[in-house]
Amino acid sequence: MTTPQAPTANQMQLDKKIQTRRAHIRKRHRFDYAMTIISYLMTAAVLATLAAILVTLFYNGIQAIKPSLFLESTPAPGSQGGLANAIYGSLVMTSIAVAIAAPVGIMAGTFLAEYARKSKLAEIVRFINDVLLSAPSIIIGLFVYAVVVLSMGHFSAWAGIAALAIIAVPIIVRTTEDMLTLVPDSLREAGAALGAPRWKVITAISYRAAFQGILTGVLLAIARVSGETAPLLFTALNNQFWSTDLNAPMANLPVVIFQFAMSPYEDWRSLAWGGALLITTTVLALNIVARLSAKGKRA
Amino acid sequence: MTDIAARHSSHRRWRFGDPLFKYLTFFFAMMVLAILSAIVITLTVDAWPALETFGLPFIWTASWNPVTEQFGALVPLVGTIETAVIAIVIGVPFSFGVAFFLTEMCPHWLRQPIAVAVELLAAVPSIIYGIWGLFVLVPLFQHYVEPAMIATLGNIPILGHLFQGPPIGIGVFLAGIILALMILPFITSVMREVFAAVPAVLRESAYGLGATRWEVVWRVVLPYSRVGVVGAIMLGLGRALGETMAVTFVIGNAHRLSLSLLAPGTTISAALANEFTEADGDLYTASLIALGLVLFVLTFVVLAIGKRMLLRTTGKGGIA
């Protein structure tokens, strides 16, 4: 189309400008591409790690899952046994701890969401609660040791329950408050317009509307508490034998796993893997159920 | 008539229902504050013998000798900070990568499953990370990763000292790696939250000007949510500082200061987990509780700063 002719100096300059601009754009896109790939790889690596953890647990733990695991108590090194006493201990301590923590947490969450709302006091409680939520759990164990174990004079399941309850409370407070704030005020106003007193509005309307969400919080608390090890180390301690006495040290899965995994005995390690598989599947299943019920609520 | 009268009397009977319920909830809310104050007071009182004996130098004294009853927090404190810093240095880029992937690139149908999978990583109990780290990562690091690091990074002048010594797998570095993995889901989910709080108009205008995806995130989203991102990192740091079981499994529990990151060390929480039930002597126990107090103060400050920064960005506190 164009007849070949000597480009003017001006045009040459323009061409050069366009070329450098194009190179610059190419460079930017290459960089974007590289970053995209890196971010893909990072995500893949994270997901692969989760898969690797689960695969290792199943691979090592599945051979320990047999009836004796649930029927026999923890053995002495070199003999046969199961984790029955530890499973029982974990179940009992987790359920009592959450049974204590749930009312406390729900009530405190109610105060934040229904009464205090944006007040200064609510802000402080909320803040402290969030700090407690991520506070090191071993500190909670230390605290309960100082308060309960020292005053009782011995380790006990009750001390373990106290530690677990303190860990569960902030989780329940947080979810209860979040879920109650999702309940629209028009519902509360409708209730009030019908002449219901405030407490009745809360219990009959807010709670009912937020029920599934609050339940999610409780489930998450159970999941979190059932895997906690550090706070039990110096509260419930451990017990090699079958014991239902809450005033005595009580076996529990996490501490048994800790002790058995660190031991040099092959059969203890195998039981530790079995226990680890048991705890992880329980905790992950609880989390998934909690998430599903929360999702159903929001949709 | 009698109906109305009956209802009236039932109202009167429940006149106290409201204040009763209100103060009941108030009481339980105050319990949250009470727990925190009780923790601080109890730890201080029980740590007092140690604090009295050693005074403030407790924090920078390196000796930890149960026989001569000389105790100082320096070694576990350094280990705690070292592992947490490694966790942040490695965990934050990964968290950012995952958050970048989930908010900007992930196809919609995949977003939820991947986000849930990442969050499940946070639900895995820390003891599981410990046992997995001990039996899977330790051999892996001992035979492949650490020899490679010593051969390459170990030769860098000055910095190389951090990566020297025998590759034994167990040590500060591996503890930091596991912590990175554990705090990643927290940082990622808070990052996603603050990224989502960036107004869509900003993002769209940047794309409209021809910015690439990376440029939008790096130059628009990140600067806008800077404070929130730092808050997220602080929350992660707070968790890394206090994590106990996973670290106890893989750090080696050596009360020794070492220049090399590959050497065994200890952290405050690992020292507590290992020694507390075996501590005999009041001063020993008190010193361990004093360690706990140091850890609690440290995490409290870090978490409080992180929380404040997050409050500033997402404005959470009202209706979120």
Side-chain angles (χ1 to χ4, degrees), chain B residues 297-317:
Chain B
V297 171
L298 193 65
T299 47
F300 187 90
V301 169
V302 169
L303 290 172
I305 294 172
K307 205 68 222 159
R308 281 220 83 89
M309 296 181 108
L310 279 176
L311 277 175
R312 257 207 285 165
T313 41
T314 52
K316 263 199 175 163

PDB file of all heavy atoms in Angstrom, chain B residues 297-317:
ATOM      1  N   VAL B 297       2.374 -12.084  77.626  1.00  0.00           N
ATOM      2  CA  VAL B 297       2.486 -10.646  77.378  1.00  0.00           C
ATOM      3  C   VAL B 297       2.850 -10.400  75.916  1.00  0.00           C
ATOM      4  O   VAL B 297       2.252  -9.563  75.231  1.00  0.00           O
ATOM      5  CB  VAL B 297       3.518 -10.008  78.330  1.00  0.00           C
ATOM      6  CG1 VAL B 297       3.799  -8.568  77.937  1.00  0.00           C
ATOM      7  CG2 VAL B 297       3.026 -10.083  79.766  1.00  0.00           C
ATOM      8  N   LEU B 298       3.819 -11.180  75.432  1.00  0.00           N
ATOM      9  CA  LEU B 298       4.275 -11.030  74.048  1.00  0.00           C
ATOM     10  C   LEU B 298       3.125 -11.247  73.057  1.00  0.00           C
ATOM     11  O   LEU B 298       2.857 -10.409  72.192  1.00  0.00           O
ATOM     12  CB  LEU B 298       5.395 -12.043  73.794  1.00  0.00           C
ATOM     13  CG  LEU B 298       6.218 -11.885  72.534  1.00  0.00           C
ATOM     14  CD1 LEU B 298       7.008 -10.595  72.581  1.00  0.00           C
ATOM     15  CD2 LEU B 298       7.171 -13.069  72.392  1.00  0.00           C
ATOM     16  N   THR B 299       2.424 -12.371  73.210  1.00  0.00           N
ATOM     17  CA  THR B 299       1.338 -12.653  72.260  1.00  0.00           C
ATOM     18  C   THR B 299       0.213 -11.633  72.422  1.00  0.00           C
ATOM     19  O   THR B 299      -0.382 -11.216  71.442  1.00  0.00           O
ATOM     20  CB  THR B 299       0.743 -14.055  72.447  1.00  0.00           C
ATOM     21  OG1 THR B 299       0.499 -14.263  73.828  1.00  0.00           O
ATOM     22  CG2 THR B 299       1.680 -15.115  71.952  1.00  0.00           C
ATOM     23  N   PHE B 300      -0.049 -11.241  73.665  1.00  0.00           N
ATOM     24  CA  PHE B 300      -1.133 -10.273  73.884  1.00  0.00           C
ATOM     25  C   PHE B 300      -0.849  -8.990  73.123  1.00  0.00           C
ATOM     26  O   PHE B 300      -1.710  -8.463  72.426  1.00  0.00           O
ATOM     27  CB  PHE B 300      -1.288  -9.984  75.379  1.00  0.00           C
ATOM     28  CG  PHE B 300      -2.481  -9.125  75.696  1.00  0.00           C
ATOM     29  CD1 PHE B 300      -3.702  -9.708  75.961  1.00  0.00           C
ATOM     30  CD2 PHE B 300      -2.389  -7.753  75.690  1.00  0.00           C
ATOM     31  CE1 PHE B 300      -4.810  -8.931  76.234  1.00  0.00           C
ATOM     32  CE2 PHE B 300      -3.497  -6.959  75.953  1.00  0.00           C
ATOM     33  CZ  PHE B 300      -4.706  -7.558  76.231  1.00  0.00           C
ATOM     34  N   VAL B 301       0.383  -8.491  73.243  1.00  0.00           N
ATOM     35  CA  VAL B 301       0.732  -7.239  72.570  1.00  0.00           C
ATOM     36  C   VAL B 301       0.611  -7.399  71.055  1.00  0.00           C
ATOM     37  O   VAL B 301      -0.012  -6.579  70.382  1.00  0.00           O
ATOM     38  CB  VAL B 301       2.157  -6.809  72.972  1.00  0.00           C
ATOM     39  CG1 VAL B 301       2.642  -5.668  72.098  1.00  0.00           C
ATOM     40  CG2 VAL B 301       2.200  -6.417  74.436  1.00  0.00           C
ATOM     41  N   VAL B 302       1.170  -8.496  70.528  1.00  0.00           N
ATOM     42  CA  VAL B 302       1.139  -8.706  69.083  1.00  0.00           C
ATOM     43  C   VAL B 302      -0.303  -8.831  68.578  1.00  0.00           C
ATOM     44  O   VAL B 302      -0.700  -8.193  67.598  1.00  0.00           O
ATOM     45  CB  VAL B 302       1.956  -9.966  68.708  1.00  0.00           C
ATOM     46  CG1 VAL B 302       1.714 -10.359  67.268  1.00  0.00           C
ATOM     47  CG2 VAL B 302       3.432  -9.718  68.941  1.00  0.00           C
ATOM     48  N   LEU B 303      -1.096  -9.640  69.287  1.00  0.00           N
ATOM     49  CA  LEU B 303      -2.482  -9.838  68.857  1.00  0.00           C
ATOM     50  C   LEU B 303      -3.272  -8.537  68.966  1.00  0.00           C
ATOM     51  O   LEU B 303      -4.087  -8.216  68.099  1.00  0.00           O
ATOM     52  CB  LEU B 303      -3.155 -10.916  69.705  1.00  0.00           C
ATOM     53  CG  LEU B 303      -2.672 -12.349  69.491  1.00  0.00           C
ATOM     54  CD1 LEU B 303      -3.275 -13.272  70.529  1.00  0.00           C
ATOM     55  CD2 LEU B 303      -3.025 -12.832  68.097  1.00  0.00           C
ATOM     56  N   ALA B 304      -3.015  -7.773  70.037  1.00  0.00           N
ATOM     57  CA  ALA B 304      -3.761  -6.533  70.235  1.00  0.00           C
ATOM     58  C   ALA B 304      -3.450  -5.554  69.103  1.00  0.00           C
ATOM     59  O   ALA B 304      -4.360  -4.922  68.556  1.00  0.00           O
ATOM     60  CB  ALA B 304      -3.423  -5.916  71.593  1.00  0.00           C
ATOM     61  N   ILE B 305      -2.170  -5.463  68.731  1.00  0.00           N
ATOM     62  CA  ILE B 305      -1.811  -4.561  67.633  1.00  0.00           C
ATOM     63  C   ILE B 305      -2.490  -5.017  66.342  1.00  0.00           C
ATOM     64  O   ILE B 305      -3.093  -4.218  65.622  1.00  0.00           O
ATOM     65  CB  ILE B 305      -0.277  -4.520  67.446  1.00  0.00           C
ATOM     66  CG1 ILE B 305       0.382  -3.889  68.675  1.00  0.00           C
ATOM     67  CG2 ILE B 305       0.090  -3.740  66.189  1.00  0.00           C
ATOM     68  CD1 ILE B 305       1.885  -3.973  68.667  1.00  0.00           C
ATOM     69  N   GLY B 306      -2.413  -6.329  66.071  1.00  0.00           N
ATOM     70  CA  GLY B 306      -3.030  -6.865  64.858  1.00  0.00           C
ATOM     71  C   GLY B 306      -4.516  -6.582  64.808  1.00  0.00           C
ATOM     72  O   GLY B 306      -5.061  -6.149  63.798  1.00  0.00           O
ATOM     73  N   LYS B 307      -5.167  -6.811  65.940  1.00  0.00           N
ATOM     74  CA  LYS B 307      -6.613  -6.611  66.034  1.00  0.00           C
ATOM     75  C   LYS B 307      -6.986  -5.149  65.764  1.00  0.00           C
ATOM     76  O   LYS B 307      -7.922  -4.856  65.040  1.00  0.00           O
ATOM     77  CB  LYS B 307      -7.018  -7.005  67.459  1.00  0.00           C
ATOM     78  CG  LYS B 307      -8.427  -7.427  67.633  1.00  0.00           C
ATOM     79  CD  LYS B 307      -8.709  -8.720  66.955  1.00  0.00           C
ATOM     80  CE  LYS B 307     -10.061  -8.581  66.289  1.00  0.00           C
ATOM     81  NZ  LYS B 307     -10.256  -9.531  65.225  1.00  0.00           N
ATOM     82  N   ARG B 308      -6.234  -4.241  66.355  1.00  0.00           N
ATOM     83  CA  ARG B 308      -6.491  -2.812  66.180  1.00  0.00           C
ATOM     84  C   ARG B 308      -6.391  -2.427  64.712  1.00  0.00           C
ATOM     85  O   ARG B 308      -7.204  -1.674  64.188  1.00  0.00           O
ATOM     86  CB  ARG B 308      -5.469  -1.985  66.964  1.00  0.00           C
ATOM     87  CG  ARG B 308      -5.739  -1.876  68.425  1.00  0.00           C
ATOM     88  CD  ARG B 308      -5.450  -0.480  68.926  1.00  0.00           C
ATOM     89  NE  ARG B 308      -6.589   0.398  68.685  1.00  0.00           N
ATOM     90  CZ  ARG B 308      -7.585   0.539  69.552  1.00  0.00           C
ATOM     91  NH1 ARG B 308      -7.580  -0.111  70.689  1.00  0.00           N
ATOM     92  NH2 ARG B 308      -8.580   1.339  69.285  1.00  0.00           N
ATOM     93  N   MET B 309      -5.342  -2.972  64.052  1.00  0.00           N
ATOM     94  CA  MET B 309      -5.145  -2.627  62.649  1.00  0.00           C
ATOM     95  C   MET B 309      -6.295  -3.147  61.800  1.00  0.00           C
ATOM     96  O   MET B 309      -6.761  -2.467  60.890  1.00  0.00           O
ATOM     97  CB  MET B 309      -3.826  -3.215  62.153  1.00  0.00           C
ATOM     98  CG  MET B 309      -2.630  -2.619  62.857  1.00  0.00           C
ATOM     99  SD  MET B 309      -1.110  -3.311  62.249  1.00  0.00           S
ATOM    100  CE  MET B 309      -0.489  -1.919  61.342  1.00  0.00           C
ATOM    101  N   LEU B 310      -6.763  -4.355  62.122  1.00  0.00           N
ATOM    102  CA  LEU B 310      -7.867  -4.919  61.355  1.00  0.00           C
ATOM    103  C   LEU B 310      -9.146  -4.138  61.581  1.00  0.00           C
ATOM    104  O   LEU B 310      -9.920  -3.911  60.657  1.00  0.00           O
ATOM    105  CB  LEU B 310      -8.089  -6.378  61.736  1.00  0.00           C
ATOM    106  CG  LEU B 310      -7.138  -7.344  61.069  1.00  0.00           C
ATOM    107  CD1 LEU B 310      -7.373  -8.736  61.581  1.00  0.00           C
ATOM    108  CD2 LEU B 310      -7.315  -7.299  59.564  1.00  0.00           C
ATOM    109  N   LEU B 311      -9.361  -3.701  62.821  1.00  0.00           N
ATOM    110  CA  LEU B 311     -10.554  -2.916  63.113  1.00  0.00           C
ATOM    111  C   LEU B 311     -10.564  -1.651  62.280  1.00  0.00           C
ATOM    112  O   LEU B 311     -11.599  -1.194  61.827  1.00  0.00           O
ATOM    113  CB  LEU B 311     -10.591  -2.554  64.604  1.00  0.00           C
ATOM    114  CG  LEU B 311     -11.157  -3.618  65.531  1.00  0.00           C
ATOM    115  CD1 LEU B 311     -11.030  -3.182  66.967  1.00  0.00           C
ATOM    116  CD2 LEU B 311     -12.621  -3.877  65.203  1.00  0.00           C
ATOM    117  N   ARG B 312      -9.383  -1.077  62.085  1.00  0.00           N
ATOM    118  CA  ARG B 312      -9.307   0.164  61.322  1.00  0.00           C
ATOM    119  C   ARG B 312      -9.699  -0.033  59.868  1.00  0.00           C
ATOM    120  O   ARG B 312     -10.291   0.840  59.264  1.00  0.00           O
ATOM    121  CB  ARG B 312      -7.884   0.726  61.403  1.00  0.00           C
ATOM    122  CG  ARG B 312      -7.784   1.881  62.379  1.00  0.00           C
ATOM    123  CD  ARG B 312      -6.651   2.796  61.993  1.00  0.00           C
ATOM    124  NE  ARG B 312      -5.384   2.191  62.334  1.00  0.00           N
ATOM    125  CZ  ARG B 312      -4.235   2.627  61.846  1.00  0.00           C
ATOM    126  NH1 ARG B 312      -4.215   3.613  60.984  1.00  0.00           N
ATOM    127  NH2 ARG B 312      -3.109   2.046  62.201  1.00  0.00           N
ATOM    128  N   THR B 313      -9.343  -1.183  59.276  1.00  0.00           N
ATOM    129  CA  THR B 313      -9.654  -1.351  57.855  1.00  0.00           C
ATOM    130  C   THR B 313     -11.051  -1.842  57.591  1.00  0.00           C
ATOM    131  O   THR B 313     -11.785  -1.256  56.827  1.00  0.00           O
ATOM    132  CB  THR B 313      -8.709  -2.350  57.162  1.00  0.00           C
ATOM    133  OG1 THR B 313      -8.512  -3.436  58.042  1.00  0.00           O
ATOM    134  CG2 THR B 313      -7.424  -1.699  56.775  1.00  0.00           C
ATOM    135  N   THR B 314     -11.413  -2.969  58.221  1.00  0.00           N
ATOM    136  CA  THR B 314     -12.712  -3.521  57.859  1.00  0.00           C
ATOM    137  C   THR B 314     -13.836  -2.878  58.645  1.00  0.00           C
ATOM    138  O   THR B 314     -14.988  -3.102  58.353  1.00  0.00           O
ATOM    139  CB  THR B 314     -12.743  -5.048  58.071  1.00  0.00           C
ATOM    140  OG1 THR B 314     -12.291  -5.308  59.403  1.00  0.00           O
ATOM    141  CG2 THR B 314     -11.855  -5.752  57.085  1.00  0.00           C
ATOM    142  N   GLY B 315     -13.453  -2.072  59.644  1.00  0.00           N
ATOM    143  CA  GLY B 315     -14.467  -1.396  60.426  1.00  0.00           C
ATOM    144  C   GLY B 315     -15.385  -2.355  61.130  1.00  0.00           C
ATOM    145  O   GLY B 315     -16.530  -2.060  61.418  1.00  0.00           O
ATOM    146  N   LYS B 316     -14.876  -3.564  61.412  1.00  0.00           N
ATOM    147  CA  LYS B 316     -15.706  -4.544  62.102  1.00  0.00           C
ATOM    148  C   LYS B 316     -15.976  -4.094  63.519  1.00  0.00           C
ATOM    149  O   LYS B 316     -15.145  -3.478  64.156  1.00  0.00           O
ATOM    150  CB  LYS B 316     -15.005  -5.891  62.114  1.00  0.00           C
ATOM    151  CG  LYS B 316     -15.522  -6.748  60.995  1.00  0.00           C
ATOM    152  CD  LYS B 316     -15.205  -8.191  61.252  1.00  0.00           C
ATOM    153  CE  LYS B 316     -15.850  -9.026  60.157  1.00  0.00           C
ATOM    154  NZ  LYS B 316     -15.280 -10.329  60.098  1.00  0.00           N
ATOM    155  N   GLY B 317     -17.073  -4.401  64.012  1.00  0.00           N
ATOM    156  CA  GLY B 317     -17.417  -3.968  65.356  1.00  0.00           C
ATOM    157  C   GLY B 317     -18.877  -3.556  65.312  1.00  0.00           C
ATOM    158  O   GLY B 317     -19.623  -3.750  66.248  1.00  0.00           O
TER     159      GLY B 317
END
